[in-house]
Amino acid sequence: MVVAVERQRYGALLAVLCGAIFLEGVDIAMMNVALPSIRADLGLSTGALQWVMSAYVLGYGGFMLLGGRAGDLFGRRRVFLFWLTVFILFSGLGAIAGDGWTLITARFVTGVAAAFLTPAGLSIITTTLPEGPVRERALMIYAGTAAAGFSLGLVIGGVLTAIDWRWVFLAPVIFALCLLAGAIPLIPRDPRTTRSFRDIDFVGAISVTAALVLLVLTIERAPHASLVSTAVSGAASLALFALFVLWERRAAQPLVRLGILRSVRLVHANLTTLLVAAGFFGFQFVAVLYLREVLGWSTLETSFMMLAIGLDAVLAPTLTPRLTARFGHRRVIIVGVLLAVLAYALFLPVSPDWGFAAMFPTMVLLGVSFAFAYGPLTITATDGAAESEHGLASGLLYTSFQFGAALGLSAVTGALALGLHAALVVPLVCALLAAVTALRS
């Protein structure tokens, strides 16, 4: 049964939950900008610097399914508050880190915290608000806020790094403390539960988490590791996935009820989300590299160019709900994905003599594309799921998103060896494949 929320508390509750997803997006984007300063200050090698990013991805992507299911089993409010506190503590540890391993540890645990926070926040919305226009508008706002975090994080990170890179860790601590103060009175209390740790499917949790961590590691290291190493870790990941599926078929209380994957809408939504994220993050990486290293733009100049993508934060809660109400989610998603195809195609012939005006249309189109696609995909991936499995559906969605991002980054990194334009083909191919999956849904 959906929990009733007083109308006057609705806006405040949504603001807190949107603040959490904004924090997650900003945290990732700011770190990209701060890495050169971190390396210079702590004297990190290139390998150690890569692990500052990879550790977060491993924690986030590897624990997402477990994080999503934890909210269903033990209460979404409890999970949200506990892991927001963990996020605060370990982001603070990153701010005072004096060596690489302390920073890497802090980033890993922060990623794990995000893996529990993100699906808990989404499922609080889907179980607290009644199905219909109210929930859909809330999800559009939520999706737009998440995307705005990725876009604005580049600018915020540039400003904070110019002061001191440690503010990239301290600023999220201050913001998260404000969120925690608001979350405690606003998030509805969980119903009493008789669940205990004995109800956790430990074999399923360990096998799928290990499989996901290995898969993320394989994808992240593929451009730099040997073929043998990549094949071995990939095969180990597949073996663990096979063990997980076999176990889940016989488990009395499975971590993932495999029957949820019989939903064609859910599977297509997750696959489309994975491809959209792969193209989006892959393009961002190549575009930033091009602006900084080829054109010689400053961090702030580059950040403000990418800020145009943040247009989705305005369109997602305003225009997209009207379009979905009139044309349906599927058609709006298809238009959004096709706009991404157009945006990447327009940027493909980029050359050093291109100015701001030539590149700006791609950034605007990407902002519109993300506004049209991401929110409706979020709704499609969770709509129709039983209330007891909203956390699981959210976990599946964000796992797809995270793996898409890792896959896109790995693919463009490998393609850069063949040149800039070869790397720019990767997001275009991802968008074309996303269009195919969206059309077949």
Side-chain angles (χ1 to χ4, degrees):
M1 181 180 294
V2 175
V3 181
V5 178
E6 299 86 346
R7 193 171 186 84
Q8 58 268 29
R9 296 183 64 192
Y10 157 69
L13 171 62
L14 185 59
V16 167
L17 297 174
C18 285
I21 195 67
F22 179 81
L23 177 66
E24 185 266 337
V26 165
D27 191 58
I28 296 172
M30 289 196 303
M31 191 56 54
N32 284 324
V33 180
L35 285 176
S37 298
I38 292 172
R39 170 156 63 179
D41 192 25
L42 298 184
L44 301 183
S45 64
T46 301
L49 193 68
Q50 179 190 345
W51 272 105
V52 173
M53 287 297 294
S54 297
Y56 184 92
V57 174
L58 285 174
Y60 192 7
F63 285 81
M64 184 65 75
L65 280 180
L66 181 58
R69 193 58 178 147
D72 293 334
L73 291 175
F74 302 110
R76 298 167 183 103
R77 182 180 189 272
R78 296 184 188 97
V79 169
F80 186 91
L81 295 179
F82 175 80
W83 286 101
L84 182 57
T85 303
V86 172
F87 182 97
I88 291 168
L89 293 174
F90 280 85
S91 191
L93 176 63
I96 62 173
D99 59 82
W101 283 111
T102 302
L103 190 60
I104 290 167
T105 301
R107 291 302 291 167
F108 177 76
V109 180
T110 304
V112 174
F116 283 80
L117 267 176
T118 305
L122 179 58
S123 58
I124 287 170
I125 293 176
T126 57
T127 57
T128 301
L129 302 178
E131 250 184 289
V134 174
R135 183 193 293 181
E136 291 205 4
R137 180 172 173 77
L139 289 173
M140 294 296 182
I141 295 171
Y142 190 75
T145 306
F150 292 121
S151 303
L152 293 175
L154 293 170
V155 179
I156 297 170
V159 173
L160 293 178
T161 303
I163 301 170
D164 190 319
W165 66 263
R166 295 184 185 275
W167 276 102
V168 169
F169 292 89
L170 285 173
V173 169
I174 297 169
F175 187 57
L177 283 170
C178 295
L179 291 177
L180 184 62
I184 292 171
L186 288 170
I187 298 178
R189 292 192 174 276
D190 301 307
R192 287 186 176 274
T193 179
T194 57
R195 302 284 191 177
S196 69
F197 284 101
R198 289 175 296 180
D199 296 307
I200 297 178
D201 174 15
F202 280 106
V203 174
I206 292 169
S207 59
V208 76
T209 300
L212 289 168
V213 167
L214 264 177
L215 183 57
V216 173
L217 185 62
T218 301
I219 293 170
E220 285 288 304
R221 295 185 60 200
H224 315 287
S226 67
L227 182 61
V228 173
S229 173
T230 300
V232 169
S233 60
S237 175
L238 290 176
L240 286 166
F241 273 121
L243 171 63
F244 169 72
V245 171
L246 291 172
W247 177 264
E248 294 300 281
R249 285 179 174 174
R250 55 178 292 184
Q253 294 180 323
L255 178 72
V256 177
R257 184 181 64 83
L258 297 179
I260 198 173
L261 300 178
R262 294 194 186 103
S263 170
V264 176
R265 289 183 69 195
L266 181 144
V267 171
H268 276 107
N270 277 272
L271 184 55
T272 306
T273 299
L274 184 150
L275 291 166
V276 166
F280 184 78
F281 283 94
F283 175 80
Q284 256 197 355
F285 179 80
V286 177
V288 168
L289 201 64
Y290 174 74
L291 295 174
R292 291 295 311 278
E293 297 191 359
V294 177
L295 299 186
W297 287 20
S298 69
T299 300
L300 285 179
E301 286 174 327
T302 302
S303 299
F304 281 116
M305 165 62 87
M306 304 301 290
L307 184 60
I309 300 174
L311 179 65
D312 60 347
V314 178
L315 297 180
T318 54
L319 180 59
T320 307
R322 296 179 185 178
L323 293 176
T324 54
R326 182 171 181 180
F327 300 107
H329 296 113
R330 179 176 177 271
R331 290 178 181 176
V332 176
I333 291 169
I334 290 170
V335 171
V337 175
L338 290 176
L339 285 175
V341 173
L342 177 59
Y344 300 139
L346 287 175
F347 203 84
L348 197 58
V350 68
S351 63
D353 62 345
W354 277 30
F356 180 88
M359 293 181 281
F360 191 67
T362 289
M363 308 307 171
V364 172
L365 281 172
L366 274 182
V368 178
S369 164
F370 211 80
F372 286 2
Y374 187 55
L377 282 170
T378 301
I379 294 169
T380 304
T382 55
D383 196 25
E387 184 177 341
S388 61
E389 293 185 327
H390 271 256
L392 172 59
S394 302
L396 286 168
L397 174 70
Y398 285 113
T399 298
S400 299
F401 189 83
Q402 187 65 26
F403 276 100
L407 185 61
L409 288 168
S410 177
V412 297
T413 301
L416 276 171
L418 302 175
L420 172 72
H421 291 92
L424 287 172
V425 170
V426 173
L428 179 59
V429 171
C430 290
L432 286 169
L433 291 174
V436 172
T437 61
L439 286 166
R440 293 186 62 187
S441 60

